[in-house]
């Protein structure tokens, strides 16, 4: 199966993790929520996939383009 890196679209802080490694996700399912400029921005699965790994933790500051998670397409 093909792996896919999910990257941050903007800089912010990881506010909440919504999924854990091994979870099966449908397209649009939330992986985590970023907080930026007092707004909550969900990071969603772009396709049906299994979450292979999360590369961030709650409270971590991330930069634009940073890899947040690795998915494996179903």
């Amino acid at each position: 199966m093909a792996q896919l890196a999910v990257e941050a679209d903007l800089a912010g802080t990881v506010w909440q993790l919504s999924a854990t490694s091994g979870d099966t996700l449908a397209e649009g399912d939330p992986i985590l929520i970023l907080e930026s400029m007092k707004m909550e921005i969900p990071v969603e699965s772009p396709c049906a996939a299994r979450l292979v790994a999360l590369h961030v933790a709650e409270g971590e500051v991330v930069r634009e383009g940073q890899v947040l998670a690795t998915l494996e397409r179903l």
Side-chain angles (χ1 to χ4, degrees), residues 36-56:
S36 181
M37 299 184 299
K38 301 191 187 236
M39 294 178 55
E40 295 175 11
I41 300 106
V43 176
E44 301 172 342
S45 179
C47 61
R50 183 178 64 84
L51 180 56
V52 175
L54 283 167
H55 303 292
V56 294

Side-chain angles (χ1 to χ4, degrees), residues 59-72:
E60 185 174 337
V61 176
V62 298
R63 67 188 185 288
E64 183 176 343
Q66 181 174 336
V67 176
L68 304 173
T70 302
L71 304 177
E72 185 174 75

Side-chain angles (χ1 to χ4, degrees), residues 3-66:
Q3 289 197 342
L4 171 70
V6 177
E7 299 177 353
D9 290 335
L10 46 81
T13 303
V14 178
W15 184 72
Q16 180 181 39
L17 299 176
S18 304
T20 58
S21 294
D23 285 356
T24 299
L25 305 168
E27 182 177 345
D29 281 354
I31 300 169
L32 56 89
I33 299 173
L34 290 178
E35 187 275 326
S36 181
M37 299 184 299
K38 301 191 187 236
M39 294 178 55
E40 295 175 11
I41 300 106
V43 176
E44 301 172 342
S45 179
C47 61
R50 183 178 64 84
L51 180 56
V52 175
L54 283 167
H55 303 292
V56 294
E58 286 184 6
E60 185 174 337
V61 176
V62 298
R63 67 188 185 288
E64 183 176 343
Q66 181 174 336

